[in-house]
Amino acid sequence: MKLCIIGTGYVGLVSGACFSDLGNDVICVDKDINKIKNLKKGVIPIYEPGLEELVKKNYKSGRLVFTSDLKEAVSKSNIIFICVGTPTKKNSYGADLNQIYSVAKEISSYIKSSKIIITKSTAPLTTGDKIEKIISKKVKKKLFSVVSNPEFLREGEAIRDFIYPDRVVIGTSNKRSNRILKSLYSPLISKGAKYFNTSRRGAELIKYASNAFLATKITFINEIANLCEKTDVNVEDISIGMGLDKRIGGRFLRAGPAYGGSCFPKDTRAIFDTAKKFKSDLSIIKSVIKSNENRSKLLLVRVSNILKNKIKNKKITFLGVTFKANTDDMRESSSLKMIPSLAKKGAIIKYYDPTGTKKEFQNLKNVFFSQNIKSACDDADLIIICTEWNDFKSLNFKSLSKKKNFIIFDMRNILSQERIKKDKIKYFGIGR
Ligand code: UDX
């Protein structure tokens, strides 16, 4: 099929590369001319394992094309995916939909034959109705249909999540569009993905409700971990014990720092904002947002307790600063709150991350990037594991540090406790 993908960020570029790899002709459009120039040279703007090879392979085959010419891309395609950003508005919980609406307005001038317009970006309940209204100002209703097809891609696993999704959710009551999209996704369905057709608003809400529920699961186990720390219980046993109940499931029950990233924080706020507009109270999600926002403060108190309230001039090392492993994304990472706060209290901070130095810390006094794990750890009083990179999981800390009595605060519970005990290292975990 002939697809046009508007927006070449995480969702657009991954979707475009994967759809072209499934044999479709894909035109990826972005108004950022430099981004398009780089993509043509095989320079990928995001850190996503496997994406560079996939883009290069399909660009070379001619199935994947990059352009800034939206008019040409729309005229050559019959299915148009809107994959532009829907960030949280400043000083609000609401999603900023300006990019989506301006794309809808622009493409309405280019629609001269039957098109299916699909929002893949995470767009709040009723966004499809508004897109339909914008386009129908210039285009007869029978010439287009607006469909919601939310993505469920995790950063760092996006290609796998696209090719092997649990489900493909298609929000439309238009029979023809449903039939065409079922055929577009048939290669994934034949590999076991479930295809679920619902109303457009139903698909929009499924996305938000899913992310809000996952964020609730994480916040739930994080609060249980707080209780475990006070009662000498290992939260990992609780996660396993709970997860063996198929109604609960073991995934997304790993206690850690606050959840971060571009999705959970944004989507929990957006669904709460939407519900408020419809005078419906989502009190559980509201408390999840508050609990997660407070978590970094709570972890800073733990750091203070570990250092017996003596932070000034203490040498603290952060291993990993991204919001999770296998991504270079810093959005809403716990390190963004913890490092500046500790530096302000006079600590001397070194950090190491496999994805390199971070602009977020470059102007902070007493915060330094280390080129490797050894130079990051060698003179630390406290080593904090903030991101669960594989690089940190089997380190021999005894050989890394020149100090005898350094302490480890493992905020991801990735180190083996028997190994730590054998090496007689002072260790603190989360909920264990
Ligand atoms: C999430 C959803 O998983 C994905 O379906 C959606 O499309 C986009 O948002 P992402 O934000 O990329 O994906 O990362 P995810 O792996 O879900 O992790 C989100 C946050 O939760 C991270 O900070 C991660 O460290 C944290 N997390 C995740 C936990 O603390 N514990 C867990 O068990 C799982």
Side-chain angles (χ1 to χ4, degrees):
M1 292 187 186
K2 298 194 175 311
L3 315 179
C4 165
I5 307 267
I6 306 172
T8 56
Y10 277 104
V11 178
L13 193 55
V14 169
S15 304
C18 291
F19 273 131
S20 63
D21 206 49
L22 293 171
N24 299 288
D25 290 321
V26 178
I27 308 175
C28 281
V29 190
D30 204 298
K31 63 181 183 209
D32 180 337
I33 298 175
N34 276 329
K35 211 173 191 184
I36 293 297
K37 261 201 213 122
N38 283 332
L39 284 166
K40 288 179 176 173
K41 287 188 285 190
V43 175
I44 310 297
I46 53 176
Y47 179 102
E48 187 60 46
L51 185 58
E52 186 174 333
E53 300 80 349
L54 206 62
V55 166
K56 284 183 177 165
K57 172 189 158 198
N58 288 288
Y59 181 67
K60 201 157 148 265
S61 75
R63 275 194 304 270
L64 181 59
V65 167
F66 297 108
T67 178
S68 290
D69 183 341
L70 183 57
K71 182 175 183 183
E72 185 205 14
V74 169
S75 58
K76 285 183 177 170
S77 315
N78 40 46
I79 298 178
I80 294 153
F81 283 91
I82 300 179
C83 300
V84 293
T86 56
T88 306
K89 273 189 243 171
K90 288 216 173 358
N91 313 318
S92 144
Y93 273 19
D96 176 353
L97 300 174
N98 288 327
Q99 292 183 55
I100 286 208
Y101 294 151
S102 63
V103 161
K105 195 157 173 285
E106 190 176 350
I107 58 176
S108 61
S109 325
Y110 309 147
I111 295 175
K112 310 295 176 216
S113 62
S114 173
K115 307 283 178 195
I116 300 176
I117 320 283
I118 303 174
T119 41
K120 198 164 247 309
S121 304
T122 305
L125 191 50
T126 74
T127 304
D129 307 355
K130 292 178 189 115
I131 294 173
E132 198 169 68
K133 221 160 126 223
I134 293 169
I135 297 179
S136 54
K137 284 199 180 96
K138 287 197 180 149
V139 183
K140 283 200 187 62
K141 281 222 163 155
K142 66 178 184 349
L143 255 194
F144 74 98
S145 83
V146 178
V147 176
S148 167
N149 170 214
E151 50 80 21
F152 300 100
L153 309 178
R154 289 168 295 157
E155 288 185 33
E157 326 269 344
I159 293 172
R160 187 182 314 123
D161 287 348
F162 188 98
I163 301 293
Y164 301 101
D166 291 335
R167 77 292 203 201
V168 174
V169 175
I170 297 294
T172 182
S173 45
N174 178 308
K175 287 197 174 38
R176 176 179 172 275
S177 298
N178 185 38
R179 195 179 59 252
I180 291 170
L181 290 173
K182 193 162 192 173
S183 146
L184 172 66
Y185 280 104
S186 56
L188 307 188
I189 296 162
S190 61
K191 286 197 188 111
K194 294 282 174 288
Y195 183 88
F196 179 56
N197 173 224
T198 178
S199 67
R200 186 168 60 207
R201 288 189 180 186
E204 289 167 339
L205 188 50
I206 285 168
K207 170 66 186 178
Y208 280 95
S210 301
N211 269 6
F213 185 75
L214 290 170
T216 303
K217 250 189 126 174
I218 293 164
T219 305
F220 178 87
I221 202 65
N222 283 341
E223 292 195 344
I224 294 293
N226 298 340
L227 176 59
C228 289
E229 283 156 17
K230 297 196 164 34
T231 52
D232 196 21
V233 172
N234 185 336
V235 71
E236 294 191 319
D237 293 349
I238 311 307
S239 303
I240 294 166
M242 286 175 68
L244 289 171
D245 181 328
K246 289 193 176 52
R247 295 168 303 173
I248 299 173
R251 295 180 66 189
F252 282 66
L253 268 185
R254 282 192 328 273
Y259 62 72
S262 69
C263 299
F264 286 169
K266 161 175 73 72
D267 296 351
T268 44
R269 292 176 185 129
I271 189 172
F272 183 76
D273 180 72
T274 302
K276 220 163 89 181
K277 284 183 182 128
F278 287 91
K279 299 192 177 13
S280 170
D281 182 25
L282 296 179
S283 61
I284 295 172
I285 293 171
K286 185 177 180 185
S287 59
V288 164
I289 294 168
K290 286 280 158 264
S291 174
N292 193 63
E293 282 172 352
N294 288 335
R295 188 150 183 80
S296 298
K297 236 183 279 162
L298 186 142
L299 292 173
L300 282 164
V301 168
R302 282 211 62 200
V303 170
S304 216
N305 294 342
I306 289 168
L307 293 173
K308 299 188 173 43
N309 297 319
K310 293 189 189 70
I311 291 183
K312 197 164 169 35
N313 298 325
K314 284 288 180 193
K315 293 193 170 120
I316 301 175
T317 289
F318 274 73
L319 288 184
V321 287
T322 52
F323 86 90
K324 68 169 190 173
N326 301 319
T327 181
D328 62 354
D329 199 339
M330 288 292 289
R331 286 175 287 188
E332 310 240 5
S333 171
S334 296
S335 62
L336 294 174
K337 285 188 186 162
M338 294 183 76
I339 288 182
S341 166
L342 290 166
K344 218 161 131 204
K345 290 191 179 121
I348 295 127
I349 311 264
K350 285 203 263 185
Y351 72 93
Y352 167 79
D353 191 284
T355 58
T357 178
K358 300 299 168 190
K359 61 181 181 333
E360 290 83 354
F361 303 130
Q362 65 193 25
N363 301 327
L364 288 180
K365 209 161 109 356
N366 288 340
V367 178
F368 308 98
F369 174 69
S370 298
Q371 290 294 342
N372 55 60
I373 295 171
K374 178 130 186 69
S375 59
C377 297
D378 60 4
D379 62 350
D381 299 304
L382 173 65
I383 298 169
I384 297 177
I385 298 181
C386 188
T387 309
E388 70 288 10
W389 287 99
N390 285 336
D391 314 43
F392 310 142
K393 288 181 178 168
S394 7
L395 289 173
N396 177 347
F397 285 95
K398 288 296 261 190
S399 64
L400 280 176
S401 169
K402 288 185 294 220
K403 292 200 165 164
K404 287 274 156 284
N405 51 1
F406 65 92
I407 305 169
I408 293 178
F409 180 25
D410 178 3
M411 296 203 299
R412 296 289 186 165
N413 289 343
I414 57 173
L415 301 183
S416 112
Q417 285 187 290
E418 44 277 16
R419 169 85 185 268
I420 292 290
K421 225 177 257 157
K422 190 167 74 51
D423 291 349
K424 297 193 180 50
I425 297 172
K426 203 146 195 269
Y427 173 92
F428 295 86
I430 295 281
R432 67 172 193 171

